[in-house]
Amino acid sequence: MIVQMKPHATKAQFEHITQFLIKKGFEIKDVSSANIMVFGIIGDTKSLNPTDLEAFEGVFQVTRVSTPYKLASRSFKKTDTIIKVRHNIEIGGDQFVVMAGPCSVESYENTFEIAKAVKASGATILRGGAYKPRTSPYAFQGMGVDGLKILREVADQFDLAVVSEIMSEDMIETFEPYVDIYQIGARNMQNFHLLKQLGARTKKPILLKRGLSATIEEWLMSAEYIMASGNDQVILCERGIRTFEKYTRNTLDISAVLAVKELSHLPVIIDPSHAAGKYSMIERLSMASYAVGSDGIIVEVHPDPEHALSDGAQSLKLEKFDHMMAALRNMSAVLDKKV
Amino acid sequence: MIVQMKPHATKAQFEHITQFLIKKGFEIKDVSSANIMVFGIIGDTKSLNPTDLEAFEGVFQVTRVSTPYKLASRSFKKTDTIIKVRHNIEIGGDQFVVMAGPCSVESYENTFEIAKAVKASGATILRGGAYKPRTSPYAFQGMGVDGLKILREVADQFDLAVVSEIMSEDMIETFEPYVDIYQIGARNMQNFHLLKQLGARTKKPILLKRGLSATIEEWLMSAEYIMASGNDQVILCERGIRTFEKYTRNTLDISAVLAVKELSHLPVIIDPSHAAGKYSMIERLSMASYAVGSDGIIVEVHPDPEHALSDGAQSLKLEKFDHMMAALRNMSAVLDKKV
Amino acid sequence: MIVQMKPHATKAQFEHITQFLIKKGFEIKDVSSANIMVFGIIGDTKSLNPTDLEAFEGVFQVTRVSTPYKLASRSFKKTDTIIKVRHNIEIGGDQFVVMAGPCSVESYENTFEIAKAVKASGATILRGGAYKPRTSPYAFQGMGVDGLKILREVADQFDLAVVSEIMSEDMIETFEPYVDIYQIGARNMQNFHLLKQLGARTKKPILLKRGLSATIEEWLMSAEYIMASGNDQVILCERGIRTFEKYTRNTLDISAVLAVKELSHLPVIIDPSHAAGKYSMIERLSMASYAVGSDGIIVEVHPDPEHALSDGAQSLKLEKFDHMMAALRNMSAVLDKKV
Amino acid sequence: MIVQMKPHATKAQFEHITQFLIKKGFEIKDVSSANIMVFGIIGDTKSLNPTDLEAFEGVFQVTRVSTPYKLASRSFKKTDTIIKVRHNIEIGGDQFVVMAGPCSVESYENTFEIAKAVKASGATILRGGAYKPRTSPYAFQGMGVDGLKILREVADQFDLAVVSEIMSEDMIETFEPYVDIYQIGARNMQNFHLLKQLGARTKKPILLKRGLSATIEEWLMSAEYIMASGNDQVILCERGIRTFEKYTRNTLDISAVLAVKELSHLPVIIDPSHAAGKYSMIERLSMASYAVGSDGIIVEVHPDPEHALSDGAQSLKLEKFDHMMAALRNMSAVLDKKV
C-alpha cells in the first residue's frame, strides 16, 4: 500500500502515521522526494482499508498495490479453476457452456417445451427463475418452490443441469434439492449476508452475477466472501453495467472477461440477454462472447416472448436460439473451446 | 404508455399488438403520422412492463407516461409526509434534522462520548452501525446485537433517537427493541425480500438509502415496495451515486432532493459522509444540503477518526462537527426549516 | 413527439401549448386518459427540441418518437453504405478492414518498419497521428505536417491507404494531399465547427470516433452534421466509453455496433486499442469485434512500445499484431466478411 | 510515480524498466516486499505518462503521486487567484458573482429587456450565446457577430460585463472587441488547439466549462493548457456531468467546487441551468451553490422561455430570477462572500 501525503503535510504528520503503522507491525519504506512525502507499507495489508488511512491528517491519497482478495486471485492459484456440474459439464475448461431457459418458470408445459428445444439445440444447463427480483411490487414475482420443482423434473427428463436465482438465505434448504447451481443476482452481489450464508451452507457451484455498477475488484471481493466462507466453486457472470447509454438496457462490458482471466482463476460467462435487453442483439453478442474467450453464456429463451410473464423483449424464440447455436457450433471449428 | 413502432413495421404488426392490448382491457389511441406508427395505451398500466411490449415484433420503443409507483407519488398524496420519531422529532416538516454518530459502534465508552458531544452540538438522532456491510470479508463486520444494546442505552441517556442498518430480514426481531428507525443500506436498496419483510413486520420508520447506481424512479419503486407491504413511514436518503469521477468516493446528486420533492411526498435527507468520503468536505456539503431544501442530514462523527474501526476518512472529529452545527444554526436565520 | 403534462396541469396549460404548436403548423393528436394529459405532435419535428417544449408550464416530459437525424438514418437509406478507399478497399461491404499503425508518427524509419510489417500481416490502411490531442500540454504533440508527409510516402510504397486525425478546420488544406481518410477524434466529436467545415470542404471519407460520453444518438447527430454539410462518406468508430470501471482505460461498448447497424446505413468499426488501453487485450477484443459484425478495426502497433512516444501501453508489437491477424484470418472461414 | 509490477514479473523485467528510467535521469526507490515488486520514481515526472510505462512487460499498474498540472495547482500558488473584470467585478474574492442572460442572443430588444432586468435584480455580468454549439445541424445556430454587437451595446448601457462562448480559434479577433470574458463550452474543453490559441492570443479572462465526462484532473489539465500558453486568468465552471440518471439533464457535481478549492487556486463557479435542465430547480441549486462556497453562478434567463430560440426549459423568467436573487441576498447575511 502506498501512502501519499498532501503537498504541505508536515514532518510531524508523516511521523504520526508511520509510527502508527509500525506499531501495528508493518514495515515502512520511504519513497519521498524533494516535493512530496510518499511511503510504502510492507506486510499483510489485506485488513487495512485505504480509506481508514485517509483519516490521518496530512494524508492525500492511499493506493493499494496488492489485491484485497486472495482466494479468488490468480496469484493464489495459477491454474484455471474448472467447475464440474453433474456428469458431463465442465465450466472453465474446454467447453463453451450454454445455459438457456425462460426468464421466469411459468408452467410445466412451457418449461418442458423450452427444455426440449434448448437441449436439442445443444444447451446443457436449464435456467429459469422461480423467485424473481422485480423492480415493481406489482409485477409477477415468480412461482416459488413450485417453479423449482418444475425445473428439476423437466431438466431430469432431458439430462440438463438446473440453475436458478436465490434471493434470501432463508431459502437455501428449499433450493438445495432442486438446483445444480445457485445464482446470485446482480442486485444481491453485495448482499454480504447472503454471500456468507451460501458460502457456508452449500457445496454446489454458485453463479455470481456482477452488480449493475460493481467494479471488477468489488465483484471479485464478493467471490472472496463466498470462498472465505467455505465454497470455492464460484462462476462469475458479466451481465452488463449501468452507464449513460440507454439504447441498450445495460452496457455489456466484454473486456471484463479478459480482466477476470488476468486477475483470477475463476471461470467467467456472459449474459447477453440482460446486457442488451433486446432479442435482436443476442446472437451476435453471443458470438462475440465466444470469440473473446468467455467460458459460456446464459441466455433467455421463450417459445412466445410476447406472452412471456417477464423479460419478453430480451428472450429469443426457440428457432432463433437454434439459429444462434448453429452459428456458435460453426465458430467451434476455429476456436479453442468447443460448444 | 406510448408505443412507437419501427420505421418499417407492418400494419399487421400494429394490429397484432393493439388487439393483444385491447383484449387485456386497455384502450388504444392511435397517434400515427405518415412516417411512423405510434399509439397510446389508456388504462391502469402499472402492471405492464415496457420491456414486455418490446417483445412484439415491429415495436421500436415503449415509454411510460404515468409513474410506475403510486403510494410514493406526489399525485397520490399532495401534502408532504411528516414522520414523527419519539416525542420531539419530525422529519419532513419544519425541522432540519441532524443524525450523527460513528460509522460502527465500537464500545460503550466510545459511543457515550460521541452521543454526549453530538447532543450538545444539536443532533437529535444517534446513528451507528452494529452490522456492517463491508466490501471485504476480512474487514471488521460490526459488534452485532451488543452494538444495538449500546446504542439504545446511550441514546436514552441523552434523549436521542436511534437509527441503525439492518442487513437481513432474519434480524427484524433483534432490531425491534433497540432502534427508532431502521436503515436500509445502499447495497440492499433492491433486496426486495428485505423491503417486503420490513414493510410488513415493523411500524417504525425506515430510512431507505439510494443505491449506488439507482435511478430516482427505481429508488421510489423500492419505497413503493415497503409502502405496498404496509409501512408508509419511509424516509429517503441520497448518499451519492457512482460515476466516472473518483476524486470523491461517490458523486453527491444534490438535485435528487429537488426531484424527490417534485415526484413524491416523502421526506428526503442527505448523507454527505458517504457521498464525499472525505471529512474535509462535510461541513460545506451539509450547508449545501440545507440550502437546497433537504429535510436533514446523516453524518459520521468520531472522536479519533484515525483509530476508527471503519470509515475514518469521512468521519468528522467532535469539534469539527460542533463547528458545522454552528454554521448550520447560523443559516437557520435565513432558511425555512430550522436546525 | 409525445408531450406528457404534469399530473396537476390545467386544461388552460394544455390549450396554451397545443395552440402554440398548431400555429406553427403541427397537427395535435390527443392521447389523454382520465389521470393524465398526453398528446402527440404530427409533422416535421426535426427542428423542434424536446427541451424547448419543456419550457411551457404544466409540461412534465417530452419524448421524441422519430429520430432527430435523417441522412444518417436507416429509414432514409435502407441499404448499407459502402465506402471505397483507393482502388482496393471497401468499408461496409464484404471486407473486414484492418487499419494499423503507430499512435504517433515518430520518424520515417519507424513508420517504414511498421508499414512494411502491417502490410505483410494483412492490413490495408496505415494509421498514424501527426497532430496529437494530448491531455497534457507538456506531452509530445506530434510531428505536424512532416508526419503527414512521412505517412503518405511510406504508405505509397506498400500500397496502403492513410488515415490520420485532424484537430482544426485550419488544417484541411494541409491534410488534403496526404490522407485518404480524415479522422475526427473522440474529443472533437461535438466540435460542430470542425464537423461542418470538413463536411463542406472535402470529399474524402471521414472516420468519426464516438465521444467518450456520447450517446449513440448524439454520435449519429454528429455524422448528420457532416452529411448535411455535403459529405456522406462517414465511417463510424466505437472506441470505448467512459464509465465507473477503471481497470480498462474505457469500456468497449460492443453492442454499439449492433445499435448502429439497426439505426443507420453507415459502416462502423472498432478501436480496441483506445477502448482497453492494454495491449494484452487487443487480440481477443479484435476477435470479438469481428464476431459481432463490425466492418473493421483500427489498431495501434509499434515495434518497440516501451520507447513509443505515446500510447505504448496499448500498442501491439509487430509479432503480436501478426499473431492477431492470423487469428482473424482463421475466423474468416466461418464469418461473412473476409479479412 | 509508483510502479507496481505484476505478481509474477521477473527480476529481469524489473531491471529493464528501472534501468530505462535511470538512463532518463530519474532516481528509483525500491519499495518491494516479499510478494510484490514496487518502486517509486523520483524526479520531474510531469512529462512521463503512466500509460507509457505500462508498455513495459511485467508492469501491472502505474500511479501518479504528484499532479500532472503545475501552474493550476494549489502547491504552485497558495493564495486564491482573484480575477478582475471591468472596474467593479472580482471573481474568486469576496463577491459571489452572478452572470445571467439568455441562452442565445435573439434580438436587440430581447437582450435589452433581459439585461435591464438582471441588472436591476443584482447581476453584474451579461451572458448570451452568439455562436451556439447545437447537437442538431437543423437547430438555430446563433446570430453570429451581430449577436456579439448586441451584447456589447446592451451591456454598456447597464454597466454589465459580457461573457460569450467561442467555438473556434478563427473567431478570436472577432470576439476580442466585444467580450470581457471568453467562454469555452463543455464540448470544447479538450479542443486543445482552441485552448492553446486562446491562451496565447488574448489577455482577457477565460471561463472554462467542465466537459460532460471530464474528471477534475482533466479539467485542471485543460486550464493548464491555457495557462502554459500565456494566460493565467482562468475561471472554472462546473455545469453538471453525464451519469446514468436522466431525470435531470446532467448531474450537478457540487463537490467538484470543494475539490477544485483543494487542488487549485483558480476561482470556480456553477452553472445550475445546464446541470439541471429544469427551471424549477434553479433557485434551490443556486442557493446550494452559494452555500457550498463557489465563487458565483451563471444562469439562463428569458422573459418568455416558451418562445426562446434555445434552452427554454432551463431558463428562468425574469420575475423568478428576481425571486432567486432576493433569496441569495438574504443568505448573504450568514455567508462569507457577498452577492
Side-chain angles (χ1 to χ4, degrees), chain A residues 112-154:
Chain A
F112 185 92
E113 181 182 358
I114 294 170
K116 186 176 172 186
V118 300
K119 170 75 178 187
S121 300
T124 54
I125 302 180
L126 181 65
R127 63 145 289 151
Y131 297 84
K132 300 297 305 170
R134 303 301 298 273
T135 313
S136 165
Y138 309 118
F140 175 60
Q141 308 270 323
M143 288 184 74
V145 67
D146 290 340
L148 293 176
K149 288 179 185 166
I150 290 172
L151 279 174
R152 183 75 272 159
E153 196 176 333
V154 167

Short mmCIF file of all heavy atoms in Angstrom, two decimals, chain A residues 112-154:
data_model
loop_
_atom_site.label_atom_id
_atom_site.label_comp_id
_atom_site.label_asym_id
_atom_site.label_seq_id
_atom_site.Cartn_x
_atom_site.Cartn_y
_atom_site.Cartn_z
N PHE A 112 -41.30 -27.47 -20.18
CA PHE A 112 -41.00 -28.69 -20.93
C PHE A 112 -40.67 -28.37 -22.39
O PHE A 112 -39.68 -28.84 -22.95
CB PHE A 112 -42.20 -29.65 -20.85
CG PHE A 112 -41.94 -30.97 -21.50
CD1 PHE A 112 -41.44 -32.04 -20.76
CD2 PHE A 112 -42.20 -31.17 -22.85
CE1 PHE A 112 -41.19 -33.28 -21.36
CE2 PHE A 112 -41.96 -32.39 -23.47
CZ PHE A 112 -41.45 -33.45 -22.71
N GLU A 113 -41.50 -27.54 -22.97
CA GLU A 113 -41.30 -27.18 -24.38
C GLU A 113 -39.93 -26.51 -24.58
O GLU A 113 -39.21 -26.80 -25.53
CB GLU A 113 -42.42 -26.24 -24.82
CG GLU A 113 -42.31 -25.82 -26.29
CD GLU A 113 -43.40 -24.85 -26.71
OE1 GLU A 113 -44.28 -24.52 -25.87
OE2 GLU A 113 -43.38 -24.42 -27.89
N ILE A 114 -39.62 -25.60 -23.66
CA ILE A 114 -38.34 -24.88 -23.78
C ILE A 114 -37.17 -25.83 -23.56
O ILE A 114 -36.19 -25.83 -24.32
CB ILE A 114 -38.29 -23.73 -22.74
CG1 ILE A 114 -39.34 -22.67 -23.10
CG2 ILE A 114 -36.90 -23.10 -22.71
CD1 ILE A 114 -39.54 -21.60 -22.03
N ALA A 115 -37.25 -26.66 -22.53
CA ALA A 115 -36.14 -27.56 -22.20
C ALA A 115 -35.87 -28.52 -23.36
O ALA A 115 -34.72 -28.76 -23.75
CB ALA A 115 -36.46 -28.34 -20.93
N LYS A 116 -36.93 -29.03 -23.92
CA LYS A 116 -36.79 -29.96 -25.04
C LYS A 116 -36.06 -29.28 -26.20
O LYS A 116 -35.13 -29.84 -26.81
CB LYS A 116 -38.19 -30.41 -25.48
CG LYS A 116 -38.18 -31.49 -26.54
CD LYS A 116 -39.60 -31.94 -26.87
CE LYS A 116 -39.58 -32.89 -28.07
NZ LYS A 116 -40.95 -33.22 -28.50
N ALA A 117 -36.48 -28.05 -26.46
CA ALA A 117 -35.90 -27.33 -27.60
C ALA A 117 -34.44 -26.95 -27.35
O ALA A 117 -33.58 -27.14 -28.21
CB ALA A 117 -36.72 -26.07 -27.88
N VAL A 118 -34.14 -26.42 -26.18
CA VAL A 118 -32.76 -25.96 -25.96
C VAL A 118 -31.80 -27.14 -25.88
O VAL A 118 -30.66 -27.06 -26.31
CB VAL A 118 -32.61 -25.03 -24.72
CG1 VAL A 118 -33.48 -23.79 -24.88
CG2 VAL A 118 -32.89 -25.76 -23.42
N LYS A 119 -32.29 -28.27 -25.36
CA LYS A 119 -31.46 -29.48 -25.34
C LYS A 119 -31.16 -29.91 -26.79
O LYS A 119 -30.00 -30.19 -27.13
CB LYS A 119 -32.22 -30.59 -24.61
CG LYS A 119 -31.60 -31.96 -24.72
CD LYS A 119 -30.36 -32.05 -23.83
CE LYS A 119 -29.75 -33.45 -23.89
NZ LYS A 119 -28.66 -33.60 -22.93
N ALA A 120 -32.19 -29.92 -27.60
CA ALA A 120 -32.00 -30.33 -29.00
C ALA A 120 -31.03 -29.39 -29.72
O ALA A 120 -30.24 -29.81 -30.57
CB ALA A 120 -33.35 -30.35 -29.72
N SER A 121 -31.05 -28.13 -29.34
CA SER A 121 -30.15 -27.16 -30.00
C SER A 121 -28.74 -27.21 -29.43
O SER A 121 -27.83 -26.64 -30.02
CB SER A 121 -30.70 -25.74 -29.83
OG SER A 121 -31.98 -25.63 -30.41
N GLY A 122 -28.56 -27.85 -28.26
CA GLY A 122 -27.19 -28.00 -27.76
C GLY A 122 -26.89 -27.42 -26.39
O GLY A 122 -25.74 -27.46 -25.95
N ALA A 123 -27.89 -26.85 -25.72
CA ALA A 123 -27.63 -26.34 -24.36
C ALA A 123 -27.47 -27.51 -23.40
O ALA A 123 -28.00 -28.60 -23.64
CB ALA A 123 -28.78 -25.45 -23.90
N THR A 124 -26.75 -27.28 -22.31
CA THR A 124 -26.57 -28.35 -21.32
C THR A 124 -27.11 -27.98 -19.94
O THR A 124 -27.22 -28.82 -19.08
CB THR A 124 -25.08 -28.72 -21.17
OG1 THR A 124 -24.34 -27.52 -20.88
CG2 THR A 124 -24.53 -29.36 -22.44
N ILE A 125 -27.44 -26.71 -19.77
CA ILE A 125 -27.96 -26.26 -18.46
C ILE A 125 -29.25 -25.47 -18.68
O ILE A 125 -29.32 -24.63 -19.57
CB ILE A 125 -26.91 -25.39 -17.72
CG1 ILE A 125 -25.60 -26.19 -17.54
CG2 ILE A 125 -27.45 -24.90 -16.39
CD1 ILE A 125 -24.48 -25.44 -16.84
N LEU A 126 -30.26 -25.79 -17.87
CA LEU A 126 -31.55 -25.11 -17.97
C LEU A 126 -31.62 -23.99 -16.93
O LEU A 126 -31.43 -24.23 -15.74
CB LEU A 126 -32.67 -26.12 -17.70
CG LEU A 126 -34.11 -25.61 -17.77
CD1 LEU A 126 -34.47 -25.15 -19.19
CD2 LEU A 126 -35.09 -26.70 -17.30
N ARG A 127 -31.87 -22.78 -17.38
CA ARG A 127 -32.03 -21.68 -16.44
C ARG A 127 -33.52 -21.38 -16.30
O ARG A 127 -34.32 -21.68 -17.20
CB ARG A 127 -31.30 -20.42 -16.90
CG ARG A 127 -31.78 -19.82 -18.22
CD ARG A 127 -31.70 -18.30 -18.19
NE ARG A 127 -32.72 -17.78 -17.29
CZ ARG A 127 -32.62 -16.65 -16.60
NH1 ARG A 127 -31.57 -15.91 -16.72
NH2 ARG A 127 -33.61 -16.26 -15.81
N GLY A 128 -33.93 -20.74 -15.22
CA GLY A 128 -35.33 -20.36 -15.04
C GLY A 128 -35.49 -19.75 -13.66
O GLY A 128 -34.91 -20.22 -12.68
N GLY A 129 -36.28 -18.69 -13.57
CA GLY A 129 -36.46 -18.00 -12.29
C GLY A 129 -37.72 -18.49 -11.59
O GLY A 129 -38.80 -18.52 -12.19
N ALA A 130 -37.59 -18.85 -10.34
CA ALA A 130 -38.75 -19.25 -9.53
C ALA A 130 -39.10 -18.13 -8.54
O ALA A 130 -40.26 -17.93 -8.20
CB ALA A 130 -38.44 -20.54 -8.79
N TYR A 131 -38.07 -17.43 -8.11
CA TYR A 131 -38.25 -16.25 -7.25
C TYR A 131 -37.63 -15.09 -8.01
O TYR A 131 -36.45 -15.11 -8.33
CB TYR A 131 -37.53 -16.44 -5.91
CG TYR A 131 -38.09 -17.60 -5.10
CD1 TYR A 131 -37.66 -18.90 -5.35
CD2 TYR A 131 -39.07 -17.38 -4.13
CE1 TYR A 131 -38.19 -19.97 -4.62
CE2 TYR A 131 -39.60 -18.45 -3.40
CZ TYR A 131 -39.16 -19.74 -3.65
OH TYR A 131 -39.68 -20.78 -2.94
N LYS A 132 -38.43 -14.09 -8.34
CA LYS A 132 -37.97 -13.05 -9.25
C LYS A 132 -37.77 -11.72 -8.54
O LYS A 132 -38.69 -11.22 -7.88
CB LYS A 132 -39.02 -12.82 -10.36
CG LYS A 132 -39.31 -14.04 -11.22
CD LYS A 132 -38.09 -14.52 -12.01
CE LYS A 132 -37.49 -13.43 -12.86
NZ LYS A 132 -36.19 -13.86 -13.43
N PRO A 133 -36.61 -11.12 -8.70
CA PRO A 133 -36.41 -9.77 -8.15
C PRO A 133 -36.95 -8.74 -9.12
O PRO A 133 -36.28 -8.37 -10.08
CB PRO A 133 -34.88 -9.67 -8.05
CG PRO A 133 -34.38 -10.58 -9.14
CD PRO A 133 -35.43 -11.62 -9.38
N ARG A 134 -38.18 -8.30 -8.94
CA ARG A 134 -38.79 -7.36 -9.87
C ARG A 134 -38.73 -5.94 -9.33
O ARG A 134 -39.00 -5.72 -8.14
CB ARG A 134 -40.25 -7.74 -10.14
CG ARG A 134 -40.43 -9.16 -10.69
CD ARG A 134 -39.69 -9.41 -11.99
NE ARG A 134 -40.15 -8.54 -13.06
CZ ARG A 134 -41.19 -8.84 -13.84
NH1 ARG A 134 -41.85 -9.98 -13.69
NH2 ARG A 134 -41.54 -8.02 -14.81
N THR A 135 -38.43 -4.98 -10.19
CA THR A 135 -38.36 -3.58 -9.78
C THR A 135 -39.70 -3.11 -9.19
O THR A 135 -39.73 -2.26 -8.31
CB THR A 135 -37.99 -2.71 -10.99
OG1 THR A 135 -36.89 -3.32 -11.65
CG2 THR A 135 -37.61 -1.31 -10.56
N SER A 136 -40.79 -3.66 -9.70
CA SER A 136 -42.10 -3.22 -9.24
C SER A 136 -42.76 -4.27 -8.35
O SER A 136 -42.80 -5.45 -8.69
CB SER A 136 -43.01 -2.96 -10.45
OG SER A 136 -44.35 -2.87 -10.03
N PRO A 137 -43.34 -3.82 -7.22
CA PRO A 137 -44.05 -4.78 -6.36
C PRO A 137 -45.33 -5.28 -7.02
O PRO A 137 -45.93 -6.24 -6.53
CB PRO A 137 -44.37 -3.96 -5.10
CG PRO A 137 -44.35 -2.53 -5.53
CD PRO A 137 -43.37 -2.45 -6.67
N TYR A 138 -45.74 -4.64 -8.10
CA TYR A 138 -46.98 -5.02 -8.76
C TYR A 138 -46.74 -6.01 -9.90
O TYR A 138 -47.66 -6.44 -10.57
CB TYR A 138 -47.72 -3.78 -9.27
CG TYR A 138 -47.87 -2.73 -8.18
CD1 TYR A 138 -47.29 -1.47 -8.30
CD2 TYR A 138 -48.56 -3.03 -7.01
CE1 TYR A 138 -47.40 -0.52 -7.29
CE2 TYR A 138 -48.67 -2.09 -5.98
CZ TYR A 138 -48.10 -0.84 -6.13
OH TYR A 138 -48.21 0.07 -5.13
N ALA A 139 -45.47 -6.35 -10.16
CA ALA A 139 -45.15 -7.28 -11.25
C ALA A 139 -45.11 -8.71 -10.73
O ALA A 139 -45.00 -8.96 -9.53
CB ALA A 139 -43.80 -6.89 -11.87
N PHE A 140 -45.20 -9.66 -11.63
CA PHE A 140 -45.17 -11.10 -11.32
C PHE A 140 -43.90 -11.44 -10.54
O PHE A 140 -42.79 -11.12 -10.98
CB PHE A 140 -45.24 -11.88 -12.64
CG PHE A 140 -45.10 -13.37 -12.49
CD1 PHE A 140 -45.99 -14.11 -11.72
CD2 PHE A 140 -44.07 -14.06 -13.15
CE1 PHE A 140 -45.86 -15.49 -11.61
CE2 PHE A 140 -43.94 -15.44 -13.04
CZ PHE A 140 -44.83 -16.16 -12.27
N GLN A 141 -44.05 -12.09 -9.39
CA GLN A 141 -42.91 -12.31 -8.50
C GLN A 141 -42.38 -13.75 -8.55
O GLN A 141 -41.50 -14.12 -7.78
CB GLN A 141 -43.29 -11.95 -7.06
CG GLN A 141 -43.90 -10.55 -6.88
CD GLN A 141 -42.88 -9.46 -6.60
OE1 GLN A 141 -41.89 -9.67 -5.91
NE2 GLN A 141 -43.09 -8.28 -7.19
N GLY A 142 -42.89 -14.53 -9.47
CA GLY A 142 -42.37 -15.90 -9.62
C GLY A 142 -43.28 -16.94 -8.98
O GLY A 142 -44.11 -16.63 -8.13
N MET A 143 -43.10 -18.23 -9.40
CA MET A 143 -43.95 -19.33 -8.93
C MET A 143 -43.49 -19.90 -7.60
O MET A 143 -44.15 -20.77 -7.03
CB MET A 143 -43.94 -20.47 -9.95
CG MET A 143 -44.71 -20.18 -11.23
SD MET A 143 -44.71 -21.67 -12.29
CE MET A 143 -45.89 -22.72 -11.41
N GLY A 144 -42.32 -19.48 -7.14
CA GLY A 144 -41.82 -20.01 -5.87
C GLY A 144 -41.36 -21.46 -6.00
O GLY A 144 -40.91 -21.88 -7.06
N VAL A 145 -41.54 -22.21 -4.89
CA VAL A 145 -40.98 -23.57 -4.86
C VAL A 145 -41.58 -24.46 -5.96
O VAL A 145 -40.92 -25.37 -6.47
CB VAL A 145 -41.16 -24.19 -3.45
CG1 VAL A 145 -42.62 -24.41 -3.14
CG2 VAL A 145 -40.35 -25.47 -3.32
N ASP A 146 -42.81 -24.19 -6.36
CA ASP A 146 -43.39 -24.97 -7.46
C ASP A 146 -42.58 -24.79 -8.73
O ASP A 146 -42.43 -25.72 -9.53
CB ASP A 146 -44.84 -24.53 -7.71
CG ASP A 146 -45.75 -24.95 -6.56
OD1 ASP A 146 -45.36 -25.87 -5.80
OD2 ASP A 146 -46.83 -24.36 -6.43
N GLY A 147 -42.05 -23.61 -8.91
CA GLY A 147 -41.20 -23.36 -10.07
C GLY A 147 -39.93 -24.19 -10.01
O GLY A 147 -39.48 -24.76 -11.01
N LEU A 148 -39.35 -24.27 -8.82
CA LEU A 148 -38.13 -25.08 -8.66
C LEU A 148 -38.41 -26.55 -8.99
O LEU A 148 -37.61 -27.23 -9.65
CB LEU A 148 -37.60 -24.97 -7.22
CG LEU A 148 -37.06 -23.60 -6.80
CD1 LEU A 148 -36.67 -23.62 -5.32
CD2 LEU A 148 -35.86 -23.20 -7.66
N LYS A 149 -39.55 -27.04 -8.50
CA LYS A 149 -39.90 -28.45 -8.75
C LYS A 149 -40.06 -28.72 -10.25
O LYS A 149 -39.59 -29.74 -10.77
CB LYS A 149 -41.20 -28.79 -8.01
CG LYS A 149 -41.01 -28.87 -6.50
CD LYS A 149 -42.33 -29.20 -5.78
CE LYS A 149 -42.12 -29.15 -4.27
NZ LYS A 149 -43.40 -29.12 -3.52
N ILE A 150 -40.72 -27.80 -10.92
CA ILE A 150 -40.90 -27.96 -12.37
C ILE A 150 -39.54 -28.01 -13.06
O ILE A 150 -39.28 -28.87 -13.92
CB ILE A 150 -41.77 -26.82 -12.92
CG1 ILE A 150 -43.21 -26.97 -12.45
CG2 ILE A 150 -41.70 -26.77 -14.45
CD1 ILE A 150 -44.12 -25.79 -12.78
N LEU A 151 -38.68 -27.08 -12.70
CA LEU A 151 -37.34 -27.03 -13.33
C LEU A 151 -36.63 -28.38 -13.19
O LEU A 151 -36.08 -28.93 -14.15
CB LEU A 151 -36.47 -25.96 -12.65
CG LEU A 151 -36.66 -24.52 -13.09
CD1 LEU A 151 -35.83 -23.60 -12.20
CD2 LEU A 151 -36.26 -24.33 -14.57
N ARG A 152 -36.63 -28.89 -11.96
CA ARG A 152 -35.90 -30.15 -11.67
C ARG A 152 -36.49 -31.32 -12.47
O ARG A 152 -35.77 -32.09 -13.10
CB ARG A 152 -35.98 -30.44 -10.18
CG ARG A 152 -35.23 -31.66 -9.70
CD ARG A 152 -33.72 -31.45 -9.66
NE ARG A 152 -33.06 -31.74 -10.91
CZ ARG A 152 -31.86 -31.27 -11.24
NH1 ARG A 152 -31.19 -30.47 -10.43
NH2 ARG A 152 -31.33 -31.58 -12.39
N GLU A 153 -37.81 -31.37 -12.44
CA GLU A 153 -38.49 -32.50 -13.09
C GLU A 153 -38.22 -32.49 -14.60
O GLU A 153 -37.87 -33.49 -15.20
CB GLU A 153 -39.99 -32.41 -12.79
CG GLU A 153 -40.72 -33.72 -13.07
CD GLU A 153 -42.19 -33.64 -12.67
OE1 GLU A 153 -42.52 -32.84 -11.75
OE2 GLU A 153 -43.01 -34.34 -13.29
N VAL A 154 -38.38 -31.33 -15.17
CA VAL A 154 -38.18 -31.21 -16.61
C VAL A 154 -36.71 -31.42 -16.98
O VAL A 154 -36.39 -32.13 -17.94
CB VAL A 154 -38.66 -29.82 -17.10
CG1 VAL A 154 -38.19 -29.55 -18.51
CG2 VAL A 154 -40.18 -29.72 -17.00
#
